[in-house]
Amino acid sequence: MKIKTLGSPIQLSGKALGIEVRDGFAWIAENTAVARKLDLESGKTTQLYKGHTGPVTTLTFSDMILGSGDGKILITGSWDRSKELLSTTPNAHEDFVKSLDLSTPLQSGPLRSMGSISSHTRPVECLDGSVLSDISAILYTADTMGIIKSWILKKDVGPSPLWRGTVQEELTHHRTRINEMLYGNGHLWTASSDETTQVLQRDLADSPTKLQPPIVHPAPVRSILPLALTELGEPYLLTGAGDILRVYDVSSPDEPDLITELDAHWHDITAIRLWKRKTTEGDGITRIEPWIISTSLDSTIRKWRLSELLTPPPPLSKVPEVSAPEPAAVSQKDGFEMTEDEERELAELLDSD
């Protein structure tokens, strides 16, 4: 089957429920209760993080030195609700959101809670936000009913400060579960099980909201990658709905244009990420080329050159069918004819009866 080799698949031992790409490696949260570091070039596992007793559903990075951007602390989230020193697992499957103090990540003992916010009536499925200052931030939370809430977070003063949140707005433009939500550049992008992706344009929590027309899919949308939120800054949106990878030109948000539709996997796509692939040619020059990484419940990671996704080959032109000429009618003259002697013999035989 052709799809078996599409995208140079890397076979995993489990299903990737979450993935991040950094410096040529895929960091994978697996349903096998492990987090895996995998070399995207060789497909080999370079490190395996164990300790959870349930599926690992998400992962992210924090700084070893606060504010340095080194990203040396791996934080994983799991169904087992455990908390460990370098595998901190805040419970992300309740109707509240908890914040933890990561200013001293290597300290012994549990991490200190920095506060919690509670307003949803269904499990919180995803969140994203942006820092406004050292003592304030904007946060968006989304639940399994499709409700999105925007919050302003403020940090108290004092020896043991807490973060407190105030709901600014409740957004109800989705009908059901939000599967992925990304915020940046004043836009809130969402993927939902109501078979749509949508984007809200807003600069701050209290600014007017402009909702663009939804992009409708034939199946629940589980993953999105707006390239406008990446270092590329391009007006393209990649979506994963079912096993199909789609690319839209959203330079005109009111009229998104579908430019690629690829049967990328044989099961639901769970994540789409950007990979800045570095290669060194014979001339010794290192080149960086953008690739797309997709992963799926089919237990594979697949790699796609972005330039090929943005400029798919034209469809094969159909060769007009040439109908076979009808056989010419055979005239009686061209067919079998009896000679005069044969006709006389036949008449004699008939007469003899």
Side-chain angles (χ1 to χ4, degrees):
M1 185 166 54
K2 183 180 178 182
I3 199 170
K4 286 185 177 181
T5 58
L6 284 177
S8 303
I10 299 173
Q11 188 68 45
L12 301 174
S13 57
K15 301 180 188 301
L17 304 181
I19 185 172
E20 297 296 336
V21 176
R22 292 165 60 95
D23 301 325
F25 295 94
W27 299 75
I28 306 160
E30 285 191 15
N31 69 327
T32 54
V34 301
R36 184 185 305 273
K37 182 182 178 183
L38 183 142
D39 188 322
L40 286 170
E41 294 288 357
S42 67
K44 295 181 179 180
T45 297
T46 61
Q47 203 160 354
L48 203 60
Y49 298 86
K50 299 180 180 180
H52 288 294
T53 59
V56 182
T57 57
T58 186
L59 51 78
T60 190
F61 297 88
S62 180
D63 294 343
M64 181 78 73
I65 301 174
L66 187 63
S68 67
D70 59 28
K72 292 183 178 180
I73 301 297
L74 174 65
I75 304 173
T76 56
S78 168
W79 287 357
D80 63 12
R81 305 187 181 188
S82 67
K83 295 180 179 66
E84 300 181 5
L85 185 60
L86 295 180
S87 184
T88 306
T89 314
N91 184 358
H93 300 274
E94 299 289 351
D95 56 5
F96 67 90
V97 179
K98 179 182 291 186
S99 63
L100 299 171
D101 183 3
L102 291 174
S103 59
T104 53
L106 297 183
Q107 68 180 0
S108 60
L111 297 175
R112 184 172 67 88
S113 173
M114 295 292 291
S116 64
I117 53 179
S118 178
S119 179
H120 288 274
T121 60
R122 291 294 185 274
V124 175
E125 191 64 25
C126 47
L127 52 82
D128 202 1
S130 178
V131 174
L132 301 178
S133 70
D134 290 342
I135 59 171
S136 64
I138 181 173
L139 177 70
Y140 292 92
T141 56
D143 64 28
T144 56
M145 278 189 65
I147 303 298
I148 301 172
K149 294 180 184 290
S150 65
W151 307 74
I152 288 294
L153 305 181
K154 292 186 178 295
K155 187 179 182 181
D156 292 340
V157 295
S160 300
L162 297 177
W163 285 85
R164 303 186 188 278
T166 304
V167 176
Q168 297 294 296
E169 189 176 4
E170 181 175 285
L171 306 171
T172 58
H173 52 280
H174 281 292
R175 300 192 311 273
T176 187
R177 178 192 185 107
I178 310 293
N179 294 310
E180 188 165 21
M181 179 170 62
L182 300 169
Y183 176 71
N185 301 330
H187 291 75
L188 183 69
W189 301 80
T190 48
S192 171
S193 292
D194 66 8
E195 302 182 354
T196 69
T197 62
Q198 301 204 42
V199 57
L200 270 71
Q201 182 178 345
R202 51 192 292 134
D203 296 324
L204 295 172
D206 57 355
S207 65
T209 298
K210 182 181 179 182
L211 181 63
Q212 308 293 348
I215 301 177
V216 180
H217 294 66
V221 186
R222 297 192 60 160
S223 52
I224 53 174
L225 177 61
L227 293 183
L229 299 187
T230 70
E231 296 177 32
L232 301 180
E234 298 289 343
Y236 297 101
L237 172 67
L238 290 86
T239 68
D243 53 8
I244 305 297
L245 181 67
R246 293 178 174 84
V247 183
Y248 294 88
D249 182 342
V250 290
S251 53
S252 298
D254 291 334
E255 297 179 354
D257 182 24
L258 175 63
I259 58 177
T260 300
E261 193 170 45
L262 178 65
D263 195 359
H265 291 266
W266 57 265
H267 209 320
D268 289 358
I269 297 171
T270 55
I272 308 169
R273 298 291 184 264
L274 175 66
W275 174 28
K276 293 177 293 182
R277 187 178 189 180
K278 296 181 180 180
T279 56
T280 303
E281 305 296 337
D283 55 10
I285 299 176
T286 299
R287 294 173 173 82
I288 301 177
E289 183 181 19
W291 283 62
I292 296 301
I293 299 298
S294 63
T295 189
S296 159
L297 294 180
D298 66 7
S299 298
T300 67
I301 290 176
R302 298 177 190 248
K303 302 171 284 187
W304 316 94
R305 181 178 272 111
L306 178 58
S307 60
E308 294 178 356
L309 292 177
L310 297 181
T311 54
L316 297 176
S317 57
K318 292 185 178 180
V319 179
E321 295 182 2
V322 179
S323 56
E326 295 183 3
V330 179
S331 65
Q332 187 65 28
K333 292 182 180 179
D334 296 334
F336 170 76
E337 287 186 285
M338 291 187 293
T339 63
E340 185 176 344
D341 291 338
E342 290 171 336
E343 289 179 351
R344 186 170 53 252
E345 289 179 9
L346 177 61
E348 291 175 355
L349 288 173
L350 294 176
D351 291 338
S352 64
D353 292 337

